[in-house]
Amino acid sequence: MSAESLLELVEQAKTARLRSIAPFSNFLVGAAVKTAAGKVYTGCNVESASYGLTVCAERVAIWKALSEGERDFTQLAIVADTGTLTPPCGTCRQIIWEFCKSATIMLANLHGETQIVTIKELLPRAFDARFLSGAAKEAPRT
Ligand code: THU
């Protein structure tokens, strides 16, 4: 997976970020997820006056893609305007683990700084469907 194509995805996440609806936090986040076929779905955070209903940019992008029938993701870019690159929140980490496990994740800010991270390092010893099915009794910790 080329670094160039990840940087293109960052640009798309930056554009999505500008569509954020964040009147309460003023914290704008953009995300873009790419499928194995090369299609890109973007998302921005959408806040509600009932704060707990707020949805993060990452999940908006992933929900959009999943609801269009996509299941195979190769890249995910997340952009926020912070000096220390913003990682996905805990809820998003769970969703990324379940639906974008093999995607290369790039965190980025508006100053051109980027970092590649893996969901495994962000969410070690994750819970998933294997525990519900009983398969985790035999499966190693991955
Ligand atoms: N937010 C995201 O969209 N993604 C993250 O990874 C962290 C937080 C949003 C949620 C809320 O609208 C705002 O940032 C402040 O938490």
Side-chain angles (χ1 to χ4, degrees):
M1 202 61 64
S2 77
E4 197 181 309
S5 113
L6 264 165
L7 291 176
E8 277 168 27
L9 200 64
V10 165
E11 290 307 312
Q12 288 171 282
K14 273 188 198 168
T15 301
R17 177 183 166 276
L18 297 176
R19 296 192 283 265
S20 290
I21 302 170
F24 307 108
S25 71
N26 291 311
F27 190 76
L28 280 59
V29 186
V33 66
K34 188 181 262 186
T35 70
K39 192 157 179 195
V40 173
Y41 294 83
T42 61
C44 61
N45 52 328
V46 180
E47 297 185 349
S48 165
S50 179
Y51 300 161
L53 303 184
T54 291
V55 186
C56 294
E58 298 90 322
R59 274 174 292 144
V60 170
I62 294 168
W63 296 153
K64 281 169 67 178
L66 292 173
S67 65
E68 292 301 316
E70 305 290 358
R71 294 293 182 269
D72 194 4
F73 303 103
T74 55
Q75 299 177 337
L76 172 66
I78 304 165
V79 177
D81 184 15
T82 53
T84 299
L85 296 172
T86 299
C89 77
T91 301
C92 289
R93 291 179 197 206
Q94 177 69 27
I95 297 304
I96 293 167
W97 174 264
E98 290 187 56
F99 297 105
C100 300
K101 195 181 281 148
S102 40
T104 303
I105 304 168
M106 180 169 272
L107 311 179
N109 63 17
L110 302 186
H111 313 294
E113 289 163 312
T114 60
Q115 185 185 2
I116 289 177
V117 295
T118 65
I119 190 57
K120 211 172 161 192
E121 73 179 280
L122 293 176
L123 189 65
R125 205 168 171 183
F127 173 80
D128 59 26
R130 293 170 305 168
F131 291 86
L132 300 176
S133 70
K137 280 180 190 153
E138 294 86 39
R141 284 183 206 155
T142 56

